[in-house]
Amino acid sequence: MNIERTARKLLQENSRETAGYHYTVPSADHYPYQWLWDSCFHAIILARFDAEAAQNEIKALLSKQFENGMVPHIIYWTPGILHLFSWGVEGTSTLTQPPMIAYAAWDVHRHHPDTTFLRAVFPALSAYYRFLLSARDPHKHHLVSIINPDESGEDNSPRFDAPLGASPRIQLKDHLAKRKELVEKNRVCNFDAENCMRDFFWVKDVLFNTVLVENLRALARIAAELKHPEYEREFNAEAETVAGAMREFMFEDGVYWPVMGSDLEKLKVATWGHFAPLFAGLYTPEEAEKVVRDHLTNPETFYAPHGIRTTSMQEEAYRADAEDFSWRGSVWMAPHWFIYHGLKRYGFTKEAEDIRNKSIELIKHSGFRECFNPETGEGFGAHGFTWGALVLDMMDRS
Ligand code: GLC
């Protein structure tokens, strides 16, 4: 299989146009709408060979921004049956997702310099990140909160079991019911999440805040490019403040943990979230060395024959063998991509190449599937799933 050709074809097949907006669906049959962080991945991939499509992807994503600045995690461009999280507002979900948009916009510009594009998206981007920094951090801990596991991008990751009141062996359908209940709670208080969701689900996640840090830096770069030094300073300062708070409240035993509640209790379930901070350079080189040696390359926990397990094999919640247990162990391409870039950032070239090679092997043997069994490489979930195309970015920057 020629991966480059197949990946490009897949993105083309999954591209859609509605009401003059152009976007890409993650999987034609399973996920026939536009998703937030998926679209950021699409833009990063498309930037390499179709700058216009990459720009359009981001413009479509920002087109349904809420008045308060939130960017919804799903846009239901066409009516259908999959309205899982759409209650209360027309045409979109009421949640958000890991805020990768500024990074993606900068990446598109990096490949195809175009300040007109940056100028067009900068106000919406600024409003989105300011929304996160204010509405999702009203008490100024300098860590932003998510109000539903779906906002983490890892819907049923066991690191949210405790705040969700789920047992390690919960079935996917019961898990989904709990997440829907959360949306209902938010709807009842008219989506005033800041005032009502802290009683039900209010978690400061490691990946989400890591992505925030790196994206605030990207936003500062965009501001600099547009000659707005005051915004450049503002967003750089916010990035470092969040990074500092992550260090202060999340770091323990050599790794970062999500926290919840007013006393910022750590949620100690070992997931690939430990590796996310590598992406934003949040470990010292010595700490990173230890994280890679003790956890990433440890076959008893995360290091599997076919990639990095999203949940440690030592956790009671770990499942590798069934489609139903997606983020409770399976290998996913987005985590591979984040870890790959994190490793490269610290100079772990050999380990980064290993992840890239395993990603390529998975696609060659199992195709563009949603996720994979870490022990056998068998593909699970959606077919024609776009995240596999992220290997193009790994191959490009190797
Ligand atoms: C699954 C993933 C989520 C992704 C969505 C669309 O729900 O867990 O991260 O955004 O599919 O691909």
Side-chain angles (χ1 to χ4, degrees):
M1 179 205 282
N2 177 317
I3 294 217
E4 166 113 32
R5 206 176 320 124
T6 320
R8 283 169 72 149
K9 190 162 158 272
L10 174 64
L11 282 179
Q12 219 158 36
E13 283 167 3
N14 286 12
S15 73
R16 302 282 181 272
E17 182 191 347
T18 311
Y21 285 100
H22 298 259
Y23 56 96
T24 312
V25 300
S27 159
D29 48 0
H30 244 78
Y31 300 110
Y33 305 112
Q34 184 175 17
W35 262 261
L36 193 157
W37 74 334
D38 300 65
S39 268
C40 298
F41 301 144
H42 299 153
I44 290 166
I45 301 156
L46 288 165
R48 306 170 67 261
F49 53 87
D50 189 345
E52 197 187 344
Q55 292 183 354
N56 285 342
E57 190 87 25
I58 291 175
K59 287 181 190 162
L61 188 58
L62 293 172
S63 71
K64 299 285 178 189
Q65 184 166 34
F66 290 13
E67 257 176 38
N68 65 2
M70 196 186 90
V71 177
H73 95 299
I74 308 175
I75 302 178
Y76 302 101
W77 286 105
T78 47
I81 45 156
L82 207 81
H83 286 61
L84 284 183
F85 293 111
S86 65
W87 300 287
V89 290
E90 196 54 42
T92 74
S93 83
T94 51
L95 303 173
T96 192
Q97 243 183 354
M100 277 296 287
I101 319 179
Y103 181 103
W106 179 254
D107 210 48
V108 173
H109 176 76
R110 205 170 58 81
H111 281 85
H112 178 81
D114 180 356
T115 44
T116 309
F117 163 67
L118 289 185
R119 202 164 293 115
V121 294
F122 185 67
L125 290 179
S126 304
Y128 178 45
Y129 291 93
R130 288 198 180 112
F131 156 81
L132 291 173
L133 291 166
S134 53
R136 294 303 183 84
D137 181 29
H139 294 148
K140 289 281 158 254
H141 286 111
H142 305 296
L143 293 170
V144 306
S145 297
I146 57 172
I147 58 169
N148 194 306
D150 285 79
E151 291 201 324
S152 74
E154 298 168 56
D155 324 344
N156 71 337
S157 170
R159 64 181 186 267
F160 308 117
D161 281 356
L164 204 59
S167 77
R169 292 275 148 179
I170 190 169
Q171 299 295 304
L172 196 67
K173 70 171 181 8
D174 299 329
H175 198 277
L176 182 62
K178 283 182 178 287
R179 282 148 48 207
K180 282 185 162 188
E181 262 172 44
L182 288 177
V183 178
E184 183 55 21
K185 301 257 198 266
N186 197 13
R187 192 190 65 74
V188 168
C189 44
N190 206 20
F191 301 105
D192 184 6
E194 156 188 350
N195 285 315
C196 90
M197 290 310 287
R198 66 180 57 252
D199 293 337
F200 307 112
F201 191 97
W202 190 258
V203 174
K204 299 166 199 334
D205 188 36
V206 174
L207 173 71
F208 199 98
N209 281 277
T210 299
V211 163
L212 178 68
V213 169
E214 201 55 9
N215 275 260
L216 286 167
R217 291 174 183 154
L219 192 55
R221 251 174 247 134
I222 295 174
E225 191 79 353
L226 295 177
K227 312 251 178 308
H228 292 312
E230 69 287 17
Y231 298 140
E232 181 192 0
R233 273 194 300 277
E234 173 191 334
F235 293 125
N236 269 331
E238 293 283 12
E240 296 329 304
T241 307
V242 174
M246 287 182 72
R247 163 69 51 169
E248 185 178 349
F249 298 116
M250 295 176 155
F251 189 72
E252 195 170 291
D253 301 332
V255 289
Y256 285 81
W257 306 92
V259 296
M260 67 173 271
S262 49
D263 55 351
L264 304 180
E265 179 199 342
K266 294 191 179 67
L267 298 169
K268 290 205 163 178
V269 178
T271 72
W272 82 277
H274 288 347
F275 312 126
L278 295 168
F279 180 71
L282 302 178
Y283 287 114
T284 65
E286 296 73 31
E287 288 163 1
E289 174 86 42
K290 211 165 149 34
V291 167
V292 170
R293 205 181 48 236
D294 295 354
H295 302 289
L296 187 83
T297 56
N298 181 350
E300 316 250 288
T301 54
F302 290 99
Y303 190 79
H306 295 273
I308 304 301
R309 301 179 184 107
T310 42
T311 296
S312 163
M313 205 162 76
Q314 300 301 324
E315 291 291 343
E316 197 186 339
Y318 177 72
R319 297 296 296 264
D321 56 346
E323 307 222 356
D324 260 13
F325 295 95
S326 45
W327 289 100
R328 300 173 95 82
S330 303
V331 168
W332 291 71
M333 286 296 167
H336 266 198
W337 180 86
F338 282 106
I339 298 170
Y340 173 82
H341 284 299
L343 291 170
K344 296 279 283 188
R345 183 174 191 136
Y346 284 86
F348 293 107
T349 312
K350 188 167 63 66
E351 290 78 2
E353 276 169 9
D354 178 50
I355 289 191
R356 184 199 56 212
N357 295 343
K358 287 200 166 121
S359 305
I360 293 172
E361 285 309 306
L362 281 172
I363 292 167
K364 281 196 172 151
H365 288 117
S366 303
F368 286 79
R369 299 298 301 275
E370 185 172 358
C371 54
F372 305 87
N373 183 325
E375 322 305 328
T376 65
E378 182 194 353
F380 293 145
H383 291 261
F385 193 65
T386 50
W387 291 16
L390 282 169
V391 295
L392 299 190
D393 184 71
M394 301 188 215
M395 285 152 76
D396 201 28
R397 298 200 221 170
S398 57

